[in-house]
Coordinates of all heavy atoms in Angstrom, one line a residue:
M1 N 8.2 8.8 -1.0 CA 9.1 8.1 -0.1 C 10.4 8.9 0.1 O 10.9 8.9 1.2 CB 9.6 6.7 -0.7 CG 10.5 5.9 0.3 SD 10.9 4.3 -0.4 CE 9.4 3.4 -0.4
I2 N 10.8 9.7 -0.9 CA 12.0 10.5 -0.7 C 11.8 11.7 0.1 O 12.6 12.1 1.0 CB 12.5 11.0 -2.2 CG1 13.1 9.8 -2.9 CG2 13.6 12.0 -2.0 CD1 13.4 10.0 -4.3
V3 N 10.6 12.4 0.0 CA 10.4 13.7 0.6 C 9.6 13.5 1.9 O 9.6 14.5 2.7 CB 9.7 14.7 -0.3 CG1 10.6 15.1 -1.5 CG2 8.3 14.2 -0.7
N4 N 9.1 12.4 2.2 CA 8.2 12.2 3.4 C 8.7 10.9 4.2 O 8.7 9.9 3.7 CB 6.7 12.0 3.1 CG 6.1 13.3 2.8 OD1 6.5 14.4 3.3 ND2 5.0 13.3 2.0
S5 N 9.0 11.2 5.4 CA 9.4 10.1 6.3 C 8.5 10.1 7.6 O 8.6 9.3 8.5 CB 10.8 10.1 6.7 OG 11.2 11.3 7.3
S6 N 7.7 11.2 7.7 CA 6.8 11.3 8.8 C 5.5 10.6 8.6 O 4.9 10.8 7.6 CB 6.6 12.8 9.1 OG 5.6 13.0 10.1
P7 N 5.0 9.8 9.6 CA 3.7 9.2 9.4 C 2.5 10.2 9.2 O 1.5 9.8 8.6 CB 3.5 8.4 10.7 CG 4.9 8.2 11.2 CD 5.6 9.4 10.8
D8 N 2.7 11.4 9.7 CA 1.6 12.4 9.5 C 1.4 12.8 8.1 O 0.3 13.3 7.8 CB 1.9 13.6 10.4 CG 1.9 13.3 11.9 OD1 1.1 12.4 12.3 OD2 2.6 14.0 12.6
S9 N 2.4 12.7 7.2 CA 2.2 13.1 5.8 C 2.6 11.9 4.9 O 2.8 12.2 3.7 CB 3.2 14.3 5.5 OG 4.5 14.0 5.9
M10 N 2.6 10.7 5.4 CA 2.9 9.6 4.5 C 1.7 9.1 3.7 O 0.6 9.2 4.2 CB 3.4 8.5 5.4 CG 4.2 7.4 4.7 SD 4.9 6.2 5.9 CE 6.3 7.2 6.6
T11 N 2.0 8.6 2.5 CA 1.0 8.1 1.6 C 0.8 6.6 1.8 O 1.6 5.9 2.4 CB 1.3 8.5 0.2 OG1 2.5 7.8 -0.2 CG2 1.4 10.0 0.0
L12 N -0.3 6.1 1.2 CA -0.6 4.7 1.3 C 0.5 3.8 0.7 O 0.9 2.8 1.3 CB -1.9 4.4 0.5 CG -3.2 4.3 1.3 CD1 -4.4 4.1 0.4 CD2 -3.1 3.2 2.4
S13 N 1.1 4.2 -0.5 CA 2.1 3.4 -1.1 C 3.3 3.3 -0.2 O 3.9 2.2 -0.1 CB 2.4 3.9 -2.5 OG 2.8 5.3 -2.4
V14 N 3.7 4.4 0.4 CA 4.9 4.4 1.2 C 4.6 3.6 2.5 O 5.5 2.8 3.0 CB 5.3 5.8 1.6 CG1 6.5 5.8 2.5 CG2 5.6 6.6 0.3
G15 N 3.4 3.8 3.1 CA 3.1 3.0 4.3 C 3.0 1.5 4.1 O 3.5 0.7 4.9
L16 N 2.5 1.1 2.9 CA 2.5 -0.3 2.6 C 3.9 -0.9 2.4 O 4.1 -2.1 2.7 CB 1.6 -0.6 1.4 CG 0.1 -0.4 1.5 CD1 -0.6 -0.5 0.2 CD2 -0.5 -1.4 2.6
S17 N 4.8 -0.1 1.8 CA 6.1 -0.6 1.6 C 6.9 -0.9 2.9 O 7.8 -1.7 2.9 CB 6.9 0.5 0.8 OG 7.2 1.6 1.6
S18 N 6.4 -0.2 4.0 CA 7.0 -0.5 5.3 C 6.6 -1.9 5.8 O 7.3 -2.4 6.8 CB 6.6 0.6 6.3 OG 5.2 0.5 6.6
L19 N 5.6 -2.5 5.2 CA 5.3 -3.9 5.6 C 6.3 -4.9 5.1 O 6.2 -6.1 5.5 CB 3.9 -4.2 5.2 CG 2.7 -3.4 5.8 CD1 1.4 -3.8 5.1 CD2 2.6 -3.6 7.3
Q20 N 7.1 -4.5 4.2 CA 8.1 -5.4 3.6 C 9.3 -5.4 4.5 O 10.0 -4.3 4.6 CB 8.5 -5.1 2.2 CG 7.3 -5.3 1.2 CD 7.8 -5.0 -0.2 OE1 7.9 -3.8 -0.6 NE2 8.0 -6.0 -1.0
G21 N 9.7 -6.5 5.1 CA 10.9 -6.6 6.0 C 12.1 -7.0 5.2 O 12.0 -7.4 4.0
Q22 N 13.3 -6.8 5.8 CA 14.5 -7.1 5.1 C 14.7 -8.6 5.0 O 15.3 -9.1 4.0 CB 15.7 -6.5 5.9 CG 17.1 -6.7 5.3 CD 18.2 -6.0 6.1 OE1 17.9 -5.4 7.1 NE2 19.4 -6.2 5.6
Y23 N 14.3 -9.4 6.0 CA 14.5 -10.8 5.9 C 13.2 -11.6 5.8 O 13.2 -12.7 5.4 CB 15.2 -11.3 7.2 CG 16.6 -10.6 7.4 CD1 16.8 -9.6 8.3 CD2 17.6 -10.9 6.5 CE1 18.0 -9.0 8.5 CE2 18.9 -10.3 6.7 CZ 19.0 -9.3 7.6 OH 20.2 -8.7 7.8
L24 N 12.1 -11.0 6.2 CA 10.8 -11.7 6.3 C 9.7 -10.7 5.9 O 9.6 -9.6 6.5 CB 10.5 -12.3 7.6 CG 9.2 -13.0 7.8 CD1 9.2 -14.3 6.9 CD2 9.0 -13.4 9.3
T25 N 8.8 -11.1 5.0 CA 7.7 -10.3 4.6 C 6.4 -11.1 4.8 O 6.3 -12.2 4.3 CB 7.8 -9.8 3.2 OG1 8.9 -9.0 3.0 CG2 6.5 -9.0 2.8
N26 N 5.5 -10.6 5.6 CA 4.2 -11.2 5.8 C 3.3 -10.9 4.6 O 2.6 -10.0 4.5 CB 3.5 -10.7 7.1 CG 2.3 -11.6 7.5 OD1 1.7 -12.2 6.6 ND2 2.0 -11.7 8.8
Y27 N 3.4 -11.8 3.6 CA 2.7 -11.5 2.3 C 1.2 -11.4 2.4 O 0.6 -10.6 1.7 CB 3.1 -12.6 1.3 CG 4.6 -12.5 0.9 CD1 5.5 -13.5 1.4 CD2 5.1 -11.5 0.1 CE1 6.8 -13.4 1.0 CE2 6.4 -11.4 -0.2 CZ 7.3 -12.4 0.3 OH 8.6 -12.3 -0.1
P28 N 0.5 -12.3 3.2 CA -0.9 -12.1 3.3 C -1.3 -10.8 3.8 O -2.3 -10.2 3.3 CB -1.3 -13.3 4.3 CG -0.3 -14.3 4.1 CD 1.0 -13.5 3.9
V29 N -0.6 -10.2 4.8 CA -1.0 -8.9 5.4 C -0.7 -7.8 4.3 O -1.4 -6.9 4.1 CB -0.2 -8.7 6.7 CG1 -0.5 -7.2 7.2 CG2 -0.7 -9.6 7.7
L30 N 0.5 -8.0 3.6 CA 0.8 -7.0 2.6 C -0.2 -7.0 1.5 O -0.6 -6.0 1.0 CB 2.2 -7.4 2.1 CG 2.7 -6.5 0.9 CD1 2.8 -5.0 1.4 CD2 4.1 -7.0 0.4
M31 N -0.7 -8.2 1.1 CA -1.7 -8.3 0.0 C -3.0 -7.8 0.5 O -3.8 -7.2 -0.3 CB -1.8 -9.7 -0.5 CG -0.6 -10.3 -1.2 SD -0.3 -9.4 -2.8 CE 1.2 -8.4 -2.2
A32 N -3.3 -7.9 1.7 CA -4.6 -7.4 2.3 C -4.5 -5.8 2.2 O -5.5 -5.2 1.8 CB -4.8 -7.8 3.7
G33 N -3.4 -5.2 2.6 CA -3.3 -3.8 2.6 C -3.3 -3.3 1.1 O -3.9 -2.3 0.8
S34 N -2.6 -4.0 0.2 CA -2.6 -3.6 -1.2 C -4.0 -3.7 -1.8 O -4.4 -2.8 -2.6 CB -1.6 -4.5 -1.9 OG -0.3 -4.4 -1.4
F35 N -4.7 -4.7 -1.4 CA -6.1 -4.9 -2.0 C -7.0 -3.7 -1.5 O -7.8 -3.1 -2.3 CB -6.7 -6.2 -1.6 CG -8.1 -6.5 -2.2 CD1 -8.2 -6.9 -3.5 CD2 -9.2 -6.3 -1.4 CE1 -9.4 -7.1 -4.1 CE2 -10.4 -6.5 -2.0 CZ -10.6 -6.9 -3.3
L36 N -6.9 -3.4 -0.2 CA -7.6 -2.2 0.3 C -7.2 -0.9 -0.4 O -8.1 0.0 -0.6 CB -7.5 -2.1 1.8 CG -8.1 -3.2 2.7 CD1 -7.7 -3.0 4.1 CD2 -9.6 -3.2 2.5
A37 N -5.9 -0.8 -0.7 CA -5.4 0.4 -1.3 C -5.9 0.6 -2.8 O -6.2 1.7 -3.2 CB -3.9 0.4 -1.3
I38 N -6.0 -0.5 -3.5 CA -6.4 -0.4 -4.9 C -7.9 -0.4 -5.1 O -8.4 -0.1 -6.2 CB -5.8 -1.5 -5.8 CG1 -6.4 -2.9 -5.4 CG2 -4.3 -1.5 -5.7 CD1 -6.0 -4.0 -6.4
L39 N -8.7 -0.8 -4.1 CA -10.1 -0.9 -4.2 C -10.8 0.4 -4.6 O -11.6 0.4 -5.5 CB -10.7 -1.4 -2.9 CG -12.1 -2.0 -2.9 CD1 -12.2 -3.1 -3.9 CD2 -12.6 -2.4 -1.5
P40 N -10.4 1.6 -4.1 CA -11.0 2.8 -4.6 C -10.8 3.1 -6.0 O -11.6 3.6 -6.8 CB -10.4 3.9 -3.7 CG -10.0 3.2 -2.5 CD -9.6 1.8 -2.9
M41 N -9.6 2.8 -6.5 CA -9.2 3.0 -7.9 C -10.0 2.0 -8.8 O -10.4 2.4 -9.9 CB -7.7 2.8 -8.1 CG -6.9 3.9 -7.4 SD -7.2 5.6 -8.0 CE -8.3 6.2 -6.7
L42 N -10.2 0.8 -8.4 CA -11.0 -0.1 -9.2 C -12.4 0.3 -9.3 O -13.0 0.3 -10.4 CB -10.9 -1.5 -8.5 CG -9.6 -2.3 -8.6 CD1 -9.7 -3.6 -7.8 CD2 -9.3 -2.6 -10.1
I43 N -13.0 0.8 -8.2 CA -14.4 1.3 -8.2 C -14.5 2.5 -9.2 O -15.4 2.7 -9.9 CB -14.8 1.7 -6.8 CG1 -14.9 0.4 -6.0 CG2 -16.2 2.4 -6.8 CD1 -15.2 0.6 -4.5
L44 N -13.5 3.5 -9.1 CA -13.5 4.7 -9.9 C -13.4 4.3 -11.4 O -14.1 4.8 -12.2 CB -12.3 5.5 -9.5 CG -12.1 6.8 -10.4 CD1 -13.3 7.8 -10.1 CD2 -10.8 7.5 -10.0
F45 N -12.5 3.3 -11.7 CA -12.4 2.9 -13.1 C -13.7 2.3 -13.6 O -14.1 2.5 -14.8 CB -11.2 2.0 -13.3 CG -11.1 1.5 -14.7 CD1 -10.5 2.3 -15.7 CD2 -11.5 0.2 -15.1 CE1 -10.3 1.9 -17.0 CE2 -11.3 -0.2 -16.4 CZ -10.8 0.6 -17.3
M46 N -14.3 1.4 -12.8 CA -15.6 0.8 -13.3 C -16.7 1.8 -13.5 O -17.5 1.7 -14.4 CB -16.0 -0.3 -12.2 CG -15.1 -1.5 -12.3 SD -15.8 -2.8 -11.2 CE -15.4 -2.2 -9.6
I47 N -16.7 2.9 -12.7 CA -17.7 3.9 -12.9 C -17.5 4.7 -14.1 O -18.4 5.1 -14.8 CB -17.8 4.8 -11.6 CG1 -18.3 4.0 -10.4 CG2 -18.7 6.0 -11.8 CD1 -18.2 4.8 -9.1
L48 N -16.2 5.0 -14.4 CA -15.9 6.0 -15.4 C -15.2 5.3 -16.7 O -14.6 6.0 -17.5 CB -14.9 7.1 -14.9 CG -15.4 7.9 -13.8 CD1 -14.3 8.9 -13.3 CD2 -16.6 8.7 -14.2

């Protein structure tokens, strides 16, 4: 988040943090994005 502000080089964690608003956060959409983001890591851990 500190060194990248361009969407071309942004990571998933930084991109998902942009879904949090200052006054309102759409939690279902945020949780949907978070679930998609952790899914590869869950699969990797179950395999290894």
Side-chain angles (χ1 to χ4, degrees):
M1 182 180 290
I2 290 174
V3 295
N4 279 336
S5 58
S6 170
D8 292 333
S9 54
M10 197 172 285
T11 62
L12 264 178
S13 56
V14 179
L16 289 174
S17 68
S18 66
L19 294 176
Q20 291 184 285
Q22 183 176 0
Y23 302 107
L24 178 66
T25 299
N26 191 332
Y27 294 107
V29 175
L30 179 60
M31 291 299 102
S34 300
F35 184 78
L36 291 174
I38 68 169
L39 199 56
M41 294 299 100
L42 288 176
I43 295 173
L44 178 66
F45 179 76
M46 286 188 289
I47 294 174
L48 299 177

